[in-house]
Amino acid sequence: MTRPVGEPTLTRYDVPGQTQALALVLHGGKDRSSAPVTGRSLSWRRARGLARALEQPLHDGGVGIWLLRYRTVGWNGDGADKVADARWALDRVLADVGEVPVVLVGHSMGGRTACQAADHRLVQGVVALAPWLPPDEPVDALTGRELHAAHGRRDHITKAGDTRAYVDRARAVAAAASFTDMGDRGHYLLRGVHAWNSFTLDRVRRIVTS
């Protein structure tokens, strides 16, 4: 099926029975680009790999997992359309599944999107993987939510130091906030993929059971 330009889409891995909670995966992108996100996008495909890896263990606990595909690739200044796409997906959860706790799982730009969309009524917490969190990034949307971030020291795309500083600032408003050093791993969740997956699974479970 051809994806209409300008529309976000969802890939859903729903629980066979009743959904107790849901993880919404937000993929990365670029600083600037108005190109549509296609099925060839490496950022989206990496996020799909993460979602598939988490599908069965999360389903065992009644947690569904959805993957959002943004309308366009780039953050483009203020990221307003990325945050709007995330809020659209959260509203779909509310309409289709109901009032269930949601964990936003974001990689790179997706981590930045998650931290800005965290004030949606369904969101209980954020798991941010190698997130893009510049020094002036606001933390207010995390008020009363959990934030668990992980970053590798060999990341040359986004900065582990920025993520650590963001977590430190978020502690003033968040229900809980933690930073995990992933060691000599880089940005793309490829080296040590099992460690990234294990971290994400553990933190999603922690958030939905807290």
Side-chain angles (χ1 to χ4, degrees):
M1 178 181 290
T2 301
R3 174 177 173 264
V5 174
E7 295 181 6
T9 61
L10 287 163
T11 302
R12 295 173 51 161
Y13 304 99
D14 288 316
V15 174
Q18 184 174 0
T19 301
Q20 303 298 322
L22 193 136
L24 176 63
V25 180
L26 308 176
H27 64 84
K30 296 181 179 180
D31 184 2
R32 293 191 174 276
S33 173
S34 59
V37 181
T38 72
R40 294 183 177 182
S41 164
L42 292 178
S43 294
W44 181 80
R45 291 170 69 179
R46 276 189 290 270
R48 183 181 62 179
L50 174 65
R52 293 293 297 271
L54 298 178
E55 178 185 3
Q56 190 57 56
L58 285 180
H59 280 188
D60 289 345
V63 181
I65 185 162
W66 291 10
L67 168 63
L68 173 66
R69 189 189 299 186
Y70 310 119
R71 288 170 284 176
T72 60
V73 171
W75 185 256
N76 300 327
D78 62 5
D81 62 332
K82 300 299 169 294
V83 178
D85 288 352
R87 293 188 187 282
W88 169 84
L90 289 162
D91 288 342
R92 284 287 303 273
V93 175
L94 186 60
D96 293 1
V97 181
E99 198 87 32
V100 297
V102 174
V103 181
L104 299 178
V105 177
H107 171 238
S108 191
M109 185 182 74
R112 189 175 188 180
T113 304
C115 288
Q116 291 200 18
D119 56 357
H120 189 280
R121 61 190 274 194
L122 294 184
V123 176
Q124 195 162 315
V126 170
V127 178
L129 309 173
W132 175 29
L133 296 168
D136 59 350
E137 194 68 10
V139 299
D140 295 351
L142 289 161
T143 299
R145 277 74 173 175
E146 293 192 32
L147 168 65
H148 300 290
H151 220 124
R153 280 178 260 139
R154 289 196 177 182
D155 191 330
H156 302 299
I157 306 299
T158 57
K159 298 179 181 179
D162 285 349
T163 298
R164 189 188 294 271
Y166 183 87
V167 170
D168 288 343
R169 289 189 288 113
R171 288 193 175 101
V173 299
S178 71
F179 174 85
T180 297
D181 183 345
M182 296 297 286
D184 64 350
R185 295 176 174 89
H187 184 70
Y188 293 111
L189 310 185
L190 298 175
R191 180 170 181 169
V193 61
H194 296 299
W196 289 109
N197 292 349
S198 295
F199 171 85
T200 306
L201 179 61
D202 176 76
R203 296 311 190 271
V204 169
R205 285 172 168 168
R206 182 180 304 188
I207 291 170
V208 299
T209 59
S210 62

